[in-house]
Amino acid sequence: KAGVTQTPRYLIKTRGQQVTLSCSPISGHRSVSWYQQTPGQGLQFLFEYFSETQRNKGNFPGRFSGRQFSNSRSEMNVSTLELGDSALYLCASRQNQETQYFGPGTRLLVL
Amino acid sequence: DAKTTQPPSMDCAEGRAANLPCNHSTISGNEYVYWYRQIHSQGPQYIIHGLKNNETNEMASLIITEDRKSSTLILPHATLRDTAVYYCIVRGTGGFKTIFGAGTRLFVKA
């Protein structure tokens, strides 16, 4: 089975722009979670989707949003980018209540 | 989800066993202990998980104390490629909001 894939792998944006990141879960996995990782804050939970519904949300401002499609693929969007949004964004998928598997991440640099 | 406490860093000689401890004193009865590792700038890699019994797979062994308040991840023969940050996480079956701590940075030295 192919693992979790994320696109793009690297991205450079400027302040004020918006960005959309994509995640394709492992085949058969219906749950997708997103995390932000920065050197200062570590790995922080953003949100989790299951069957196109957001089921849990971390403590991030409304500029961070996401969605999930009927094929379980997920996107997250960050609007009005700030310098502090520079981070590694990780997606993880799982089947029902089972183990989460992570993708390689998208490294976003905001200039 | 319960919080975990891990030492910030550990060293291990190549070929020796690496024993990484984790405290999870507030763990609930239905919460599992999961271990992941992250090699620089890659996504976290799942290693092993358990509820109360000790577990072993091709990567590692997980020893959970009888009171479940702590656990130890054992890499039986550490190699240089095992140098990574190791995260111990406690999560229930319905706990989608996984909380990662700072983890343990393991240095395997030749």
Side-chain angles (χ1 to χ4, degrees):
Chain A
K1 258 188 190 178
V4 178
T5 58
Q6 293 186 246
T7 56
R9 293 293 312 280
Y10 304 92
L11 203 50
I12 299 175
K13 291 285 189 178
T14 57
R15 278 181 300 174
Q17 286 187 311
Q18 68 96 27
V19 68
T20 299
L21 311 181
S22 181
C23 171
S24 293
I26 293 171
S27 177
H29 288 195
R30 295 164 66 192
S31 166
V32 173
S33 298
W34 288 89
Y35 297 81
Q36 180 197 65
Q37 186 173 32
T38 59
Q41 298 296 320
L43 259 164
Q44 292 188 288
F45 173 81
L46 278 157
F47 29 65
E48 188 261 345
Y49 286 87
F50 182 84
S51 292
E52 303 178 65
T53 302
Q54 186 180 94
R55 292 215 291 190
N56 217 329
K57 192 174 188 304
N59 297 320
F60 279 82
R63 300 185 296 108
F64 292 81
S65 62
R67 59 177 176 168
Q68 187 179 34
F69 301 96
S70 58
N71 62 358
S72 295
R73 190 176 69 84
S74 177
E75 289 180 347
M76 68 160 279
N77 184 278
V78 188
S79 62
T80 320
L81 283 166
E82 300 176 0
L83 296 180
D85 297 333
S86 295
L88 179 67
Y89 289 88
L90 292 157
C91 164
S93 77
R94 64 171 173 163
Q95 185 177 38
N96 299 324
Q97 315 280 6
E98 301 299 320
T99 302
Q100 270 188 338
Y101 294 92
F102 285 82
T106 293
R107 185 162 294 282
L108 171 66
L109 177 62
V110 182
L111 301 175
Chain B
D1 291 340
K3 289 187 178 177
T4 60
T5 305
Q6 299 176 252
S9 67
M10 294 182 64
D11 289 345
C12 179
E14 188 179 22
R16 304 298 294 269
N19 297 285
L20 292 89
C22 178
N23 286 320
H24 31 79
S25 58
T26 59
I27 191 170
S28 299
N30 66 344
E31 290 181 318
Y32 286 77
V33 179
Y34 280 81
W35 283 84
Y36 288 83
R37 72 180 183 185
Q38 188 174 26
I39 296 169
H40 182 63
S41 293
Q42 299 179 21
Q45 176 190 23
Y46 165 75
I47 302 173
I48 198 167
H49 75 284
L51 184 63
K52 51 180 140 180
N53 298 322
N54 298 338
E55 302 287 345
T56 295
N57 63 20
E58 65 279 3
M59 288 183 68
S61 294
L62 174 61
I63 308 297
I64 303 174
T65 58
E66 196 169 333
D67 63 7
R68 304 208 324 121
K69 292 184 186 300
S70 65
S71 61
T72 301
L73 177 75
I74 300 172
L75 307 179
H77 305 287
T79 70
L80 298 179
R81 287 190 287 184
D82 291 324
T83 292
V85 178
Y86 287 76
Y87 295 99
C88 167
I89 299 147
V90 171
R91 196 183 75 208
T93 54
F96 299 100
K97 191 175 178 177
T98 303
I99 298 172
F100 283 78
T104 295
R105 189 171 295 275
L106 175 69
F107 296 96
V108 180
K109 300 181 177 180

